[in-house]
């Protein structure tokens, strides 16, 4: 993979954005509020299809903008940003993240101190400062049933298959070598990308991070989690939950075929399970929306003043 390096630049920050200008603005504002004291560039790759406003561009004049005329998918957009970067380290982010004072420099320090570290990521928290598990073990077939969003994991959250895959038995407070990292927030060593290659664009979205880390391991690179670095993930306000579920299952199936190489019988079984989960997804989304609506209605009703009919 030919990716040029500018020796004057220390870091390239690549942000992939889609149909959420408000979150993107918050992300960029946080970046320049806690601007790292190193030479860096910021590249935003936007998949929204609609031209970004001049007001947003003028607010962040240092940003290099790459605007796609159609939604290329997360992976292709990310590769465009990586190819446009020119520094030794690349921090990749989604647009629905808020950077903090310590979001960047601890990651660079770790990559500098460990020659075989190809990538690392910090601690991801939500807006209530609750840790969101952002690193995993490589999945086996059972993780298709016991993954983070599966019904069985929701019913039996402490089952050993989910706990092992999600690494939920660990407090996420110390540096640790891990199998793979969530693509929301990863810093790569440019040298590692040159040796391992870019993200596999056959993944429209999801699992490109998992796939890259698996290929990195095959090439002898290591991946780390560094809790001294920290970032807030607000989660995009975009909906399209059914489409996201379809893309996630399709990407996981591709990963299984590429890395676990199942036989025909196993592939057929996986396809059957995936099909059943996809059929159930709209029902689960509708049920989830209904439950949230009922909770909101109940909460509002409690706020209403109580009047008595004298």
């Amino acid at each position: 993979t030919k990716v040029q390096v500018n020796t004057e630049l220390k870091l390239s920050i690549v942000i992939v954005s889609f149909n959420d200008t408000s979150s993107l603005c918050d992300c960029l504002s946080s970046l320049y509020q806690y601007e790292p004291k190193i030479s860096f560039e910021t590249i935003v790759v936007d998949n929204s299809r609609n031209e970004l406003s001049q007001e947003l561009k003028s607010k962040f004049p240092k940003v290099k903008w790459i605007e796609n005329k159609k939604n290329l998918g997360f992976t292709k957009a990310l590769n465009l940003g990586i190819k446009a970067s020119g520094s030794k380290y690349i921090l990749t982010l989604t647009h629905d993240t808020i950077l903090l004072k310590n979001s960047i420099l601890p990651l660079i320090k770790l990559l500098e101190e460990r020659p075989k570290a190809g990538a690392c990521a910090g601690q991801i928290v939500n807006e209530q400062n609750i840790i969101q598990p952002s690193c995993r073990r490589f999945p086996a077939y059972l993780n298709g049933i016991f993954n983070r969003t599966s019904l069985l994991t929701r019913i039996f959250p402490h089952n050993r298959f989910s706990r092992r895959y999600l690494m939920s038995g660990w407090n996420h407070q110390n540096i640790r070598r891990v199998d793979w990292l969530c693509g929301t927030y990863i810093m790569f060593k440019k040298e590692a990308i040159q040796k391992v290659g870019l993200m596999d664009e056959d993944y429209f979205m999801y699992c490109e991070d998992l796939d890259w880390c698996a290929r990195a391991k095959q090439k002898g690179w290591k991946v780390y989690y560094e809790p001294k670095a920290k970032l807030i993930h607000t989660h995009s306000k975009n909906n399209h939950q059914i489409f996201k579920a379809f893309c996630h299952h399709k990407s996981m199936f591709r990963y299984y075929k590429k890395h676990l190489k199942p036989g025909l019988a196993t592939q057929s079984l996986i396809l059957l399970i995936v099909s059943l989960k996809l059929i159930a997804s709209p029902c689960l989304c509708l049920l989830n929306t209904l439950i949230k609506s009922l909770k909101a209605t109940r909460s509002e009703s409690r706020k209403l003043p109580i009047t008595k009919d004298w």
Side-chain angles (χ1 to χ4, degrees):
T1 303
K2 297 293 183 182
V3 186
Q4 298 300 317
V5 177
N6 181 344
T7 54
E8 296 179 1
L9 278 175
K10 185 87 167 182
L11 175 69
S12 297
I13 301 170
V14 177
I15 303 170
V16 176
S17 173
F18 176 71
N19 279 355
D20 194 349
T21 305
S22 175
S23 292
L24 175 60
C25 185
D26 290 343
C27 177
L28 290 170
S29 296
S30 68
L31 167 60
Y32 290 107
Q33 179 184 356
Y34 298 111
E35 188 172 317
K37 304 238 179 324
I38 54 173
S39 57
F40 75 98
E41 62 179 352
T42 307
I43 302 165
V44 172
V45 187
D46 186 67
N47 267 340
S48 301
R49 299 187 296 268
N50 301 319
E51 188 174 342
L52 291 169
S53 68
Q54 289 303 317
E55 182 182 356
L56 179 67
K57 292 179 181 178
S58 60
K59 187 174 180 179
F60 303 103
K62 296 179 182 179
V63 172
K64 296 179 182 178
W65 302 93
I66 300 176
E67 297 178 73
N68 297 322
K69 295 181 179 178
K70 63 178 182 178
N71 183 5
L72 300 178
F74 180 83
T75 309
K76 285 186 178 181
L78 185 60
N79 279 345
L80 283 175
I82 292 172
K83 284 188 263 189
S85 67
S87 57
K88 187 176 181 180
Y89 303 106
I90 303 171
L91 175 63
T92 63
L93 301 170
T94 53
H95 66 272
D96 53 354
T97 51
I98 302 292
L99 285 88
L100 302 171
K101 187 176 181 180
N102 61 341
S103 294
I104 293 176
L105 295 182
L107 300 180
I108 290 179
K109 185 173 184 291
L110 185 146
L111 292 179
E112 287 180 335
E113 291 177 348
R114 303 181 187 230
K116 293 307 294 180
C120 63
Q123 188 178 96
I124 297 178
V125 299
N126 64 14
E127 292 167 289
Q128 289 73 48
N129 200 37
I130 297 172
I131 295 174
Q132 306 297 290
S134 55
C135 44
R136 308 269 192 276
R137 288 188 171 90
F138 288 128
Y141 293 123
L142 277 176
N143 296 124
I145 304 172
F146 292 98
N147 58 40
R148 181 176 61 86
T149 59
S150 73
L151 184 61
L152 287 174
T153 300
R154 291 176 185 179
I155 297 171
F156 307 108
H158 302 296
N159 73 81
R160 65 189 181 94
F161 301 108
S162 298
R163 284 172 62 83
R164 183 187 182 282
Y165 174 59
L166 300 173
M167 304 178 72
S168 55
W170 161 49
N171 65 9
H172 291 71
Q173 297 297 339
N174 54 290
I175 294 177
R176 181 165 175 166
R177 184 179 167 188
V178 298
D179 284 345
W180 68 281
L181 303 161
C182 173
T184 297
Y185 174 37
I186 304 180
M187 185 174 288
F188 296 92
K189 195 174 283 180
K190 176 66 67 70
E191 181 189 356
I193 290 180
Q194 290 173 330
K195 297 288 175 60
V196 176
L198 294 165
M199 307 299 134
D200 182 347
E201 294 184 1
D202 285 331
Y203 298 97
F204 183 81
M205 59 190 293
Y206 301 121
C207 300
E208 79 293 327
D209 41 15
L210 164 60
D211 177 89
W212 190 90
C213 290
R215 289 188 285 127
K217 182 179 180 181
Q218 293 168 3
K219 296 280 188 178
W221 292 95
K222 298 176 182 178
V223 173
Y224 288 90
Y225 168 85
E226 166 56 281
K228 290 178 185 174
K230 190 174 179 180
L231 170 146
I232 299 170
H233 189 200
T234 63
H235 294 280
S236 177
K237 308 303 184 291
N238 295 322
N239 293 315
H240 313 296
Q241 295 301 322
I242 296 172
F243 177 69
K244 289 179 178 179
F246 172 80
C247 289
H248 187 264
H249 285 82
K250 182 181 178 184
S251 293
M252 281 303 300
F253 184 65
R254 170 167 175 73
Y255 174 83
Y256 285 143
K257 285 184 66 177
K258 181 177 178 180
H259 292 277
L260 301 185
K261 298 178 173 57
L264 184 60
T266 306
Q267 284 191 47
S268 301
L269 181 60
I270 294 171
L271 273 175
L272 176 62
I273 293 170
V274 167
S275 300
L276 290 172
K277 288 181 72 176
L278 286 175
I279 291 169
S281 287
C283 301
L284 291 173
C285 287
L286 183 62
L287 180 62
N288 192 40
T289 302
L290 182 61
I291 292 170
K292 285 182 179 179
S293 178
L294 288 171
K295 285 182 178 178
T297 303
R298 185 177 296 176
S299 177
E300 286 299 319
S301 67
R302 287 173 179 169
K303 294 178 184 176
L304 293 175
I306 300 172
T307 59
K308 292 184 179 180
D309 188 3
W310 297 98

